[in-house]
Amino acid sequence: MNSWVSLPEWALSRMNDWGLLALRIWVGQEFLLAGHTKLDAGGPAPAWFAGLSFPFPHTLIGTDFNWLMAGVIELGLGIALMLGLMTRLSALGLLYITYVAVYTVHFDLGWAGWNQIETDQGLGFKVPLMLGIMLLALVTQGGGRLSVDRFIRTHRTGHG
């Protein structure tokens, strides 16, 4: 460090990627909990889920299999995202899950947010949209320095 002017720059460089870590943990735990809830409920799929209209290619798959796969994918990719393992691919997969959820459940219920989240009015598409934007940031930025991806890349090439 050459001067006091570069102190803020030095401090910021030490904090790089902490925001990505927080984002990964927050979004990942949301999907981990959603997947766990589905898998914990077991099969067959609940009646509300069975009555949904799914986009192609989900129309080719039975409702119970859709329920199971949504739970497994949310749980698995949620954990991967929290760890920063295959971050971009994990975020892309969860972005697709979010698209399907908005298409099938949330969009027709309108715009509703956090203050109604535990009510029927809180099932709108505002929260999934926010999750989708967070996932898009992870697709474009990756897991950052504080991720398994970075650890693997560093040890594979022998560079920091």
Side-chain angles (χ1 to χ4, degrees), residues 3 12 21 29 37 45 68 130 137 143 160:
S3 70
L12 286 174
L21 175 64
Q29 64 85 30
T37 300
L68 174 66
M130 288 188 289

Side-chain angles (χ1 to χ4, degrees), residues 45-80:
W48 68 265
F49 190 85
L52 297 174
S53 179
F54 288 94
F56 182 83
H58 298 274
T59 54
L60 304 175
I61 304 168
T63 303
D64 293 340
F65 190 67
N66 269 315
W67 176 257
L68 174 66
M69 289 310 298
V72 167
I73 291 169
E74 287 172 340
L75 184 78
L77 294 183
I79 291 169

Side-chain angles (χ1 to χ4, degrees), residues 145-160:
R145 188 179 70 214
L146 305 170
S147 67
V148 172
D149 292 339
R150 175 66 181 260
F151 178 81
I152 291 170
R153 189 172 52 250
T154 298
H155 285 81
R156 187 179 295 159
T157 63
H159 297 98

Side-chain angles (χ1 to χ4, degrees), residues 85-97:
L85 177 63
M86 298 186 300
T87 303
R88 285 187 164 101
L89 187 60
S90 296
L92 193 60
L94 291 170
L95 194 57
Y96 178 75
I97 292 285

